[in-house]
Amino acid sequence: MDHYEQTLLAYHKKHRLFEKGDRLVIGVSGGIDSMVLLHFLSKKRHQLGVHLTAVHIDHMLRGEQSAEDRRFVEQQCQLWEVPCESFAVPIPAILAENGGNTQSVCREERYRVFDQVMEKTESTILITAHHADDQLETILMEGMRGSLHKGAFGMRIKRPFGGGMLVRPQLAVTKAEIAQYAELNKVPYREDPSNASDTYTRNRIRKTIGPAMAQENPRASLHFSELAEQLNEDATFLQQLAEQTLKELLLSDKELRISAESFRSQPSALQKRMVLLLLNYLYDDKRVLITSHLVEQVRELLQSSSGTVFLHLPQNYMMTRQYDQVSFEKPREYLECQRADIGHVWSPPVLGSRYRIVPVGEEPEVENAVFWYFQSEETDFTLRGREPGDRILLAGMNQAKKLARLMIDEKIPSYQRDNWPIIVAGTHRVLLVPGLRIAACLSRTKRPEDNRVLVEQCIDYAK
């Protein structure tokens, strides 16, 4: 038994990468890394007691060359008696329609297909061919970008994926050891020319920094892989503790609200992880780059309970600290307010409701409606967006308040303020700012002088 086999079997035993009887799906590009791992697993599948399915994805980026890769993988799987599922995914067409980064789109499509095949084959383990040199490159890239992903250091040996786990058995070996196995066992493979391109950051690291570190210490990538393993074991414990602590500190089960003082009472190591958890809960698996700088910004704002502070987060999300109370909020739906005469017909839908103004005594018989009575000499009533100079007289105030100031006080994001709907009588007499405030002249109870009624009907339940 050669060094590669001994190392992978020992690694499997140490980490219990999978169990006897498990069904495994392995991603196979046709390159040396995945072909060696496929050869090893196909040879050891009976000893390991597992079922194996290979998956190849042609991204259709290299024409006939990538089609040949697909045929090559299919033929080798047939030769090694491994079931193979191969797919052609039109990445150029997807990019033309939706845009995006080529590598990111390829990765998303790959893992989407992997998930489908796992479900089809009732598999619980996805195997990828990442090795120790890949781990080193990943750590260096994350360090240069200052990016964090749920507190992980580099790639994890195992992580949840779909309905099962993603497992990386080759993190215990280097590229050189993989190449040595391929030579000893005469494992065929194909090279993707894009791996040599200097276009991608990973390739530049692979061609420059990696070899320089290997020159200083040939086992450098293995040491980094072992370091990642140790740090991630510690991180797993701290992550579980942070999750439990944050659950106890959250002030609401439905909202992301926390006391700054209670947050500050926690150790620094937990604070950083709780901020990451809050941001990941907020974005709910959206592809948002959470940097260490952003985490530190949030953490710094939680170190005080004085005054009111806002922090604009990526994708128009918002963190608000009002004295000790801190909340993290998703952006409200962007509003496009269409100008409409509501003195004769219903308005278009606005924030889940529609509006109409009629003379008192002509109230429509509708369900789920609120009636606001008022006196007006104007005969024109309009739903429109906010305009410069608009003001509203609120109950208990002697002077009308600028809507611009009202929007700020109500914490409406700046990108929504101009299009926020308002209802006016005549030219500038603001009656209602839907979802926010009503003018002092409106009353739910009809008064002798009232001659108009503003009808607000919730259309979510309208018949």
Side-chain angles (χ1 to χ4, degrees):
M1 188 183 298
D2 63 25
H3 174 74
Y4 174 94
E5 290 185 2
Q6 289 179 334
T7 303
L8 256 64
L9 290 173
Y11 200 59
H12 166 62
K13 182 178 180 181
K14 176 182 178 182
H15 295 286
R16 297 187 64 178
L17 300 180
F18 36 80
E19 305 290 341
K20 285 191 176 182
D22 279 348
R23 306 185 74 87
L24 278 53
V25 165
I26 176 173
V28 182
S29 67
I32 187 171
D33 303 335
S34 60
M35 290 303 295
V36 162
L37 185 55
L38 177 64
H39 182 273
F40 167 78
L41 288 174
S42 65
K43 190 168 76 168
K44 299 292 184 182
R45 62 187 138 175
H46 299 301
Q47 176 184 335
L48 296 170
V50 296
H51 303 273
L52 192 62
T53 300
V55 179
H56 175 80
I57 299 165
D58 173 7
H59 298 110
M60 303 178 72
L61 291 169
R62 294 180 290 114
E64 181 57 28
Q65 193 174 43
S66 59
E68 289 175 1
D69 290 348
R70 181 179 180 180
R71 289 191 290 271
F72 166 75
V73 172
E74 290 172 344
Q75 291 168 1
Q76 285 304 129
C77 285
Q78 186 176 13
L79 183 64
W80 293 340
E81 298 181 343
V82 176
C84 180
E85 300 271 351
S86 66
F87 302 83
V89 179
I91 297 297
I94 294 172
L95 289 169
E97 182 175 353
N98 303 320
N101 175 273
T102 301
Q103 284 192 318
S104 296
V105 172
C106 286
R107 184 183 185 281
E108 288 173 5
E109 290 299 312
R110 269 200 311 275
Y111 282 89
R112 178 184 62 79
V113 172
F114 290 154
D115 193 30
Q116 288 180 352
V117 176
M118 287 179 70
E119 185 174 351
K120 175 183 175 181
T121 59
E122 298 182 346
S123 300
T124 55
I125 304 292
L126 170 64
I127 302 288
T128 64
H130 298 105
H131 49 75
D133 293 30
D134 291 327
Q135 179 73 293
L136 172 60
E137 293 160 10
T138 299
I139 291 169
L140 292 174
M141 287 174 66
E142 289 180 348
M144 288 190 296
R145 286 196 305 247
S147 61
L148 297 169
H149 181 64
K150 299 183 180 178
F153 183 74
M155 295 181 286
R156 291 187 180 275
I157 300 167
K158 296 193 294 185
R159 70 168 176 84
F161 175 77
M165 299 292 292
L166 186 154
V167 176
R168 301 180 174 100
Q170 288 191 145
L171 289 183
V173 294
T174 64
K175 182 81 169 186
E177 291 168 327
I178 291 171
Q180 185 181 44
Y181 179 95
E183 184 178 358
L184 288 173
N185 292 276
K186 296 183 172 50
V187 178
Y189 59 89
R190 290 174 61 85
E191 285 294 347
D192 182 345
S194 66
N195 290 335
S197 171
D198 286 341
T199 303
Y200 305 115
T201 304
R202 183 178 290 275
N203 289 353
R204 294 195 296 273
I205 292 174
R206 184 176 297 155
K207 293 169 67 174
T208 57
I209 302 176
M213 295 180 71
Q215 189 172 2
E216 292 295 327
N217 185 341
R219 295 182 59 83
S221 61
L222 283 175
H223 290 326
F224 270 89
S225 190
E226 291 165 359
L227 175 63
E229 181 183 330
Q230 294 166 10
L231 291 177
N232 283 328
E233 286 177 356
D234 293 346
T236 297
F237 168 74
L238 289 172
Q239 187 73 7
Q240 292 170 348
L241 186 57
E243 289 173 2
Q244 180 60 39
T245 303
L246 181 60
K247 185 178 179 180
E248 295 170 358
L249 295 184
L250 283 175
L251 301 175
S252 168
D253 293 335
K254 298 180 180 179
E255 300 174 299
L256 292 180
R257 290 192 299 113
I258 192 171
S259 158
E261 183 179 5
S262 64
F263 177 88
R264 291 194 300 274
S265 68
Q266 303 302 316
S268 175
L270 290 188
Q271 288 184 12
K272 295 175 182 178
R273 284 169 171 81
M274 285 193 291
V275 170
L276 269 173
L277 284 168
L278 284 165
L279 293 174
N280 280 304
Y281 292 159
L282 181 67
Y283 289 110
D284 192 23
D285 291 332
K286 292 181 174 65
R287 296 186 66 81
V288 176
L289 180 64
I290 299 175
T291 65
S292 55
H293 175 68
L294 176 60
V295 171
E296 195 54 35
Q297 272 189 302
V298 173
R299 186 165 167 262
E300 283 181 7
L301 290 183
L302 285 161
Q303 301 307 310
S304 174
S305 295
S306 59
T308 299
V309 181
F310 303 96
L311 176 64
H312 291 276
L313 302 171
Q315 296 189 0
N316 294 314
Y317 285 63
M318 178 76 73
M319 170 189 174
T320 305
R321 192 197 72 217
Q322 291 181 292
Y323 298 96
D324 188 55
Q325 297 289 304
V326 182
S327 62
F328 296 81
E329 297 178 331
K330 298 179 180 180
R332 301 188 186 189
E333 182 181 356
Y334 185 80
L335 300 172
E336 284 287 352
C337 181
Q338 299 177 354
R339 192 181 188 95
D341 176 4
I342 62 172
H344 300 91
V345 295
W346 287 102
S347 75
V350 172
L351 297 172
S353 297
R354 63 177 183 168
Y355 297 88
R356 186 178 177 187
I357 293 179
V358 298
V360 169
E362 297 182 16
E363 294 91 327
E365 294 184 4
V366 291
E367 296 182 356
N368 303 300
V370 174
F371 297 90
W372 301 100
Y373 294 92
F374 64 104
Q375 192 277 330
S376 176
E377 296 180 1
E378 296 95 346
T379 57
D380 295 328
F381 303 98
T382 309
L383 171 75
R384 61 169 172 80
R386 182 176 68 87
E387 294 178 356
D390 281 335
R391 296 170 181 264
I392 185 171
L393 182 62
L394 301 172
M397 297 184 66
N398 296 322
Q399 293 183 335
K401 186 172 187 175
K402 288 184 178 180
L403 290 192
R405 183 72 252 173
L406 176 69
M407 297 285 180
I408 293 171
D409 292 345
E410 294 290 337
K411 303 179 183 60
I412 303 301
S414 58
Y415 71 96
Q416 288 188 345
R417 293 172 193 165
D418 288 342
N419 289 294
W420 197 274
I422 65 172
I423 292 174
V424 296
T427 306
H428 286 293
R429 183 188 174 199
V430 179
L431 301 174
L432 175 70
V433 183
L436 297 182
R437 302 294 293 274
I438 63 169
C441 64
L442 298 186
S443 170
R444 292 287 299 276
T445 304
K446 184 167 60 176
R447 298 157 297 192
E449 68 273 18
D450 292 331
N451 63 350
R452 298 283 177 175
V453 58
L454 168 59
V455 186
E456 178 180 19
Q457 184 187 26
C458 179
I459 59 175
D460 290 342
Y461 305 98
K463 295 182 180 179

